[in-house]
Amino acid sequence: MTDRALSFDVVAGQYDSARPGYPPALFDAVEELSGRPLQGSRVLDVGAGTGIATRPLRARGADVTAVEPGPGMAAQLRRTLPDTPLVRAFGDALPIADASVDLVTYAQSWHWTDPARSVPEALRVLRPGGALALWWNIADPDVPWVAAQEERLHLAAGAGAHSSGGRRAERLPADLPREHRVLRWTRTVPLDTHLANLGSHSLFRLLGDDATAAHLAGERAELLKVFPTGTVEEAYAVELTVTLRPATSSVDGGPSPEG
């Protein structure tokens, strides 16, 4: 986990109100690929942030424990989900008992982990046959205005500093079986909400307030050319990967305190 990952803390409220959620089809796919319903499953939502994925998991009847290292994000999650168990920890070192959960989820957060640690930790806490599900909402590059905006973000950040492709990197061991799905969806929001969504990304936390304000003002002008009414149809491709812990093999790992 890096300082960049923890940079979201200062915009926790903005993050919670402006970031997109997830379509119901995503959770249908998680159930299909994991081979069990969310209803009654014990789920560990790692890198839970403000609970954007935690809420629909709970709505599906899952018994969810949220894992979030950032104090600001965790505080926002506690305000909106006061009865959800919350563990302040990193995915690289989970204070959760071996073979104790049915599903480990990472919504927009796997890329902040060290897979040399986070993969064994996820497999350790999963019961045999349990599933690890990773997903990202990616701005859909097949939509022309989205592609143009992504190019402007690249220019603002400098070469290599902003990359949707980097967020999609699974970094799972090559010999670990996995299934993939891509689910496209849209949401319609006011332009101000779209700009607040952009401003909650780690890129702008690093650029600073003045540079962020200047870039978002430019984005407002560009987007009004495409959406003159001030209502933006955001287009996303949710990229989902699910892998199962083998049902008949053991995962090495020392004892851990139960969360």
Side-chain angles (χ1 to χ4, degrees):
M1 182 67 67
T2 66
D3 290 341
R4 185 171 180 180
L6 294 174
S7 69
F8 297 114
D9 259 5
V10 298
V11 290
Q14 177 181 340
Y15 186 106
D16 192 56
S17 63
R19 285 291 182 102
Y22 303 101
L26 168 65
F27 301 98
D28 294 340
V30 170
E31 290 183 322
E32 177 188 345
L33 297 179
S34 66
R36 64 174 294 139
L38 287 167
Q39 177 74 41
S41 292
R42 186 175 184 195
V43 178
L44 201 64
D45 187 22
V46 187
T50 62
I52 293 174
T54 311
R55 290 190 286 270
L57 287 167
R58 282 171 47 97
R60 288 279 185 133
D63 176 11
V64 186
T65 296
V67 178
E68 170 55 41
M73 302 290 267
Q76 181 70 33
L77 189 149
R78 285 193 187 280
R79 284 191 287 271
T80 58
L81 295 170
D83 58 342
T84 296
L86 173 61
V87 177
R88 293 286 307 283
F90 298 98
D92 296 343
L94 296 169
I96 305 296
D98 294 357
S100 62
V101 302
D102 301 303
L103 176 66
V104 175
T105 62
Y106 278 85
Q108 311 287 132
S109 57
W110 179 253
H111 53 287
W112 298 121
T113 73
D114 174 2
R117 298 180 179 180
S118 56
V119 170
E121 277 294 89
L123 296 178
R124 178 184 64 78
V125 304
L126 283 169
R127 64 166 182 80
L132 168 64
L134 322 174
W135 68 79
W136 292 264
N137 257 333
I138 305 298
D140 191 340
D142 293 335
V143 176
W145 77 263
V146 172
Q149 182 175 81
E150 286 288 298
E151 180 60 28
R152 292 191 295 272
L153 290 173
H154 278 289
L155 292 173
H162 174 82
S163 171
S164 292
R167 287 195 296 274
R168 287 176 285 184
E170 297 157 13
R171 299 178 302 155
L172 289 172
D175 60 348
L176 197 62
R178 80 286 310 265
E179 296 282 348
H180 301 281
R181 291 286 171 85
V182 177
L183 305 114
R184 286 179 164 79
W185 71 291
T186 63
R187 70 166 187 168
T188 301
V189 297
L191 177 55
D192 285 346
T193 299
H194 176 76
L195 294 174
N197 175 14
L198 280 185
S200 73
H201 285 75
S202 60
L203 159 65
F204 294 109
R205 298 303 94 216
L206 297 179
L207 285 180
D209 291 343
D210 291 344
T212 293
H215 183 84
L216 294 181
E219 280 302 307
R220 180 182 295 275
E222 291 293 332
L223 289 171
L224 283 172
K225 298 174 185 177
V226 183
F227 303 104
T229 65
T231 299
V232 178
E233 185 178 56
E234 295 179 339
Y236 294 99
V238 183
E239 299 193 346
L240 168 68
T241 297
V242 175
T243 186
L244 301 180
R245 173 179 171 175
T248 57
S249 64
S250 62
V251 176
D252 292 335
S256 298
E258 186 169 6

